[in-house]
Amino acid sequence: MRNTEHRLPDGRTDGRRVDGESRPDGRTDGRRVDGESRPDETDDDDDDPGCPGSLIVVSNRQPYRHEYESQPEGDDGSIVVDEPAGGLTAGLDPVVQEANGTWIAWGDGEADFAVTDANDCVSVPPGEDAYTLHRIDLSEEAVNSYYYGFSNQVLWPLCHEFPDLIEERSDWANDFEWYRTVNERFADAVAEHASTESIVWIQDYHFGLAPRLIRERIPKAATIAHFWHIPWPTPETFAKCPVGEELLEGLLGNDLLGFHVDRYARLFLECVEQYLDGAVVDHEEWLVDYDEGTTRLATAAMGIDAETYDEHARAVEDPDALLEEFGVSPEVTLGLGVDRLDYSKGIPERLAALERFFERNPDGREEFTFLQKATLSRTGIPAYERLGDLVRSEVTRINSRFGTDDWQPIVYTEEYVPQKNLCGLYRRADVMVISPLLDGMNLVAQEFVASCVGEGPASESSPGAPHGDGVLLLSERTGAHERLGADAVTIDPTDTDAFAAELETALAMPASERRRRMRSMRTDVFEADLEAWMDSQFDSIRRLHDPSESNDDDPGARTPQI
């Protein structure tokens, strides 16, 4: 994480410094939205995907956050800037810079509004002033209701097929009103910047109503696109959405609506057909006509910055030394799990499969250790608190049952792991277990593959460079399975016996087969990386914004030709 320092209140200075410290309050700052760290993106303006118009990005998370830095008593204080350290935010940042665009996001930093102008805008990156960051100031009540309430206690469980958890939120109606209000505020902010040439690109489920609200406020010639990063539920589950019709109406304000995989797009069309009167659905062309507008659907599986993961993994001189930090013997075969502590990730089911594995393999118990890295998430929500308690108690119980004085079958940590160390753990792992009950994509699977390297310098980062032979156990219920499932070991996270058996299969797999599978997966992850995903998104947007620029030969996103 890079920090840019500003001195307040007068004569502000820009002094860049580099540090790798995590935030004392435990927030994820530059780290990934789902909690796991990511390496910094490389800067190569020549390779940045191009946007076909004036770009306005809308997201809940902002690319830069201003914070007050602790100072000795009597010091006038300073402000530091947390900059994007990886993932979509870091990938989009150079694109918005190149477009001289606008990014609209929730300003959640303590000093965010100490550096903005009267319109809540600030030029970023600090010292470069390449684009405008427009911050939305949200009250504590707004955050509790819009973000922790409706977004994460209605939409999140609904889309991950946990509708029963919605019933726990008795005041969802108040939460929804705040959700609408916040969406309106973002829409108003878009209207301040939009022109006929604008492309508005909305990110994720926090803004289900925003597309139609924005459409009502900006010129008709402007293009609105939206990528929904989480799954879309089945019609049976969607029927339990308390405001389903309004959500569908909101999303159909988009010109283009994107999902990771075809399955989610088809489910969306089915929900529109069943629950929105007046909508005309074309299942062949993936089109919806509604209220004098047309929404086109497209799918493209999001990738990662594979080269950076590869480079960081190769830079780790002694991966075994990382294990010693967790009290794990370098002599053991290592299983690894890296997850945000979320009920969708299938961690209790994974622990049950591990327990069954140790039951079935008593002679090899001390030869295999499973390291589970979990990142605390949404701890104020009861379902997450219960999950954390359950996971910790199960780890303790299983270790008490099978552990010895010198060995613990499961090593569990919630501590922050620096991003380069995480890449080293990926590299060292013999088996990586990805077992969500449902996941929109799951980028951890790709991170593991990109980091699974053998001996060789970082300059050799490529699918064909020397690579390792770790095995990926991958849930069939992830979007990543549609990309990597042919070479991963497929698991049903709810079938404990079969899950344990597949773990045995992975550990017994011949080295030549492991290497063949990994080579194939690395080719996919490197070719369909984050930049390729953004290229596909902008190509799909370009087809709508200016059909004369359409490139029919580009593989891009999966969508019928216009």
Side-chain angles (χ1 to χ4, degrees):
M1 174 178 63
R2 295 179 299 163
N3 290 330
T4 303
E5 184 175 0
H6 298 270
R7 184 68 61 178
L8 288 180
D10 297 316
R12 303 183 185 188
T13 61
D14 291 324
R16 292 194 177 274
R17 62 183 176 84
V18 177
D19 67 56
E21 297 180 358
S22 58
R23 296 167 54 93
D25 60 5
R27 283 191 283 175
T28 57
D29 52 288
R31 298 196 294 278
R32 233 179 39 192
V33 68
D34 62 354
E36 288 76 54
S37 306
R38 279 196 186 152
D40 286 337
E41 302 284 348
T42 56
D43 295 324
D44 186 351
D45 292 339
D46 293 337
D47 295 331
D48 290 336
C51 177
S54 174
L55 180 62
I56 301 173
V57 171
V58 177
S59 68
N60 179 69
R61 185 170 299 278
Q62 60 180 335
Y64 298 88
R65 177 190 288 110
H66 289 78
E67 300 283 2
Y68 290 109
E69 187 173 41
S70 299
Q71 297 291 329
E73 186 175 352
D75 196 301
D76 61 358
S78 64
I79 289 178
V80 295
V81 181
D82 291 339
E83 300 188 16
L88 177 61
T89 302
L92 265 176
D93 183 61
V95 178
V96 186
Q97 290 188 42
E98 182 182 3
N100 190 26
T102 301
W103 196 315
I104 302 172
W106 166 31
D108 62 333
E110 294 177 355
D112 276 348
F113 295 94
V115 299
T116 56
D117 62 19
N119 297 314
D120 293 333
C121 295
V122 61
S123 295
V124 292
E128 299 178 33
D129 299 346
Y131 67 89
T132 298
L133 173 58
H134 185 150
R135 287 173 167 149
I136 306 299
D137 190 7
L138 299 180
S139 67
E140 182 177 354
E141 183 178 4
V143 172
N144 286 338
S145 295
Y146 142 77
Y147 179 73
Y148 289 106
F150 192 78
S151 291
N152 287 309
Q153 294 189 70
V154 176
L155 291 182
W156 181 271
L158 179 84
C159 290
H160 288 84
E161 299 290 339
F162 286 89
D164 291 345
L165 293 181
I166 298 174
E167 298 174 5
E168 296 185 3
R169 191 70 179 175
S170 59
D171 54 348
W172 67 260
N174 178 67
D175 292 345
F176 178 67
E177 288 308 311
W178 271 111
Y179 183 85
R180 185 202 307 278
T181 297
V182 171
N183 275 235
E184 288 174 344
R185 291 189 58 191
F186 273 83
D188 290 339
V190 170
E192 293 179 22
H193 301 277
S195 68
T196 57
E197 295 299 315
S198 290
I199 289 173
V200 182
W201 195 21
I202 306 168
Q203 302 299 319
D204 227 347
Y205 62 103
H206 311 91
F207 303 107
L209 305 181
R212 184 159 298 278
L213 295 169
I214 292 170
R215 174 56 66 207
E216 295 169 352
R217 289 163 167 78
I218 67 174
K220 291 183 178 180
T223 299
I224 305 175
H226 192 154
F227 198 89
W228 191 268
H229 289 268
I230 63 176
W232 189 266
T234 63
E236 293 75 19
T237 298
F238 188 79
K240 300 181 180 181
C241 180
V243 288
E245 183 175 340
E246 291 180 78
L247 181 62
L248 294 175
E249 287 181 337
L251 290 172
L252 291 178
N254 285 298
D255 297 296
L256 181 71
L257 178 60
F259 296 92
H260 284 298
V261 296
D262 292 3
R263 181 171 74 255
Y264 307 149
R266 293 193 185 102
L267 288 172
F268 177 82
L269 292 176
E270 291 175 16
C271 288
V272 170
E273 192 167 56
Q274 291 189 36
Y275 300 117
L276 189 59
D277 291 340
V280 179
V281 176
D282 186 333
H283 291 275
E284 293 295 323
E285 297 295 327
W286 284 16
L287 295 173
V288 180
D289 290 326
Y290 180 73
D291 193 24
E292 300 182 353
T294 299
T295 300
R296 178 174 294 273
L297 272 61
T299 58
M302 184 175 170
I304 63 167
D305 181 5
E307 288 190 2
T308 298
Y309 277 90
D310 181 294
E311 291 167 1
H312 284 332
R314 293 183 193 281
V316 177
E317 296 182 358
D318 185 7
D320 283 342
L322 297 174
L323 298 187
E324 296 175 357
E325 296 180 13
F326 297 99
V328 177
S329 169
E331 303 300 321
V332 301
T333 299
L334 181 68
L336 180 64
V338 176
D339 305 87
R340 190 167 54 82
L341 199 52
D342 190 287
Y343 48 77
S344 68
K345 301 299 181 182
I347 300 175
E349 289 76 12
R350 184 181 311 166
L351 295 175
L354 286 167
E355 182 173 23
R356 189 62 47 84
F357 170 82
F358 290 119
E359 289 174 351
R360 292 164 53 144
N361 297 274
D363 295 337
R365 287 176 185 169
E366 297 192 29
E367 298 175 1
F368 175 77
T369 296
F370 192 84
L371 174 59
Q372 175 64 56
K373 164 68 179 81
T375 300
L376 292 175
S377 176
R378 305 167 187 166
T379 52
I381 297 177
Y384 288 80
E385 294 178 348
R386 292 195 301 271
L387 173 69
D389 292 341
L390 173 63
V391 168
R392 296 179 203 105
S393 65
E394 283 297 278
V395 169
T396 299
R397 183 184 63 79
I398 294 170
N399 283 341
S400 297
R401 181 181 179 190
F402 299 109
T404 67
D405 291 340
D406 301 319
W407 169 78
Q408 292 293 297
I410 301 173
V411 175
Y412 178 81
T413 181
E414 295 174 357
E415 296 298 318
Y416 168 63
V417 177
Q419 53 197 22
K420 291 185 179 179
N421 288 0
L422 184 64
C423 292
L425 290 175
Y426 286 145
R427 173 181 173 179
R428 175 58 181 81
D430 298 288
V431 176
M432 182 79 200
V433 180
I434 308 287
S435 59
L437 301 174
L438 189 61
D439 211 337
M441 189 63 206
N442 193 284
L443 300 178
V444 171
Q446 298 181 54
E447 294 172 4
F448 165 69
V449 170
S451 302
C452 195
V453 302
E455 299 299 325
S459 61
E460 294 184 2
S461 298
S462 72
H467 57 79
D469 59 359
V471 180
L472 175 63
L473 263 70
L474 183 61
S475 169
E476 63 187 2
R477 304 181 184 192
T478 64
H481 190 270
E482 298 200 12
R483 289 185 53 181
L484 304 175
D487 294 294
V489 175
T490 299
I491 53 175
D492 174 354
T494 65
D495 188 336
T496 302
D497 288 328
F499 192 158
E502 294 297 357
L503 179 56
E504 294 170 354
T505 298
L507 293 174
M509 189 178 294
S512 59
E513 177 65 8
R514 296 197 303 267
R515 286 192 291 270
R516 182 197 67 76
R517 290 174 179 241
M518 181 54 64
R519 182 166 53 250
S520 177
M521 288 190 291
R522 282 174 63 82
T523 297
D524 181 281
V525 167
F526 274 77
E527 290 181 353
D529 63 1
L530 178 61
E531 184 175 315
W533 177 79
M534 287 194 293
D535 277 335
S536 75
Q537 295 302 293
F538 287 127
D539 183 67
S540 295
I541 293 170
R542 184 179 293 107
R543 293 166 186 259
L544 291 174
H545 190 72
D546 186 355
S548 66
E549 295 187 18
S550 175
N551 178 10
D552 291 346
D553 294 329
D554 191 297
R558 156 63 167 103
T559 185
Q561 296 294 324
I562 297 174

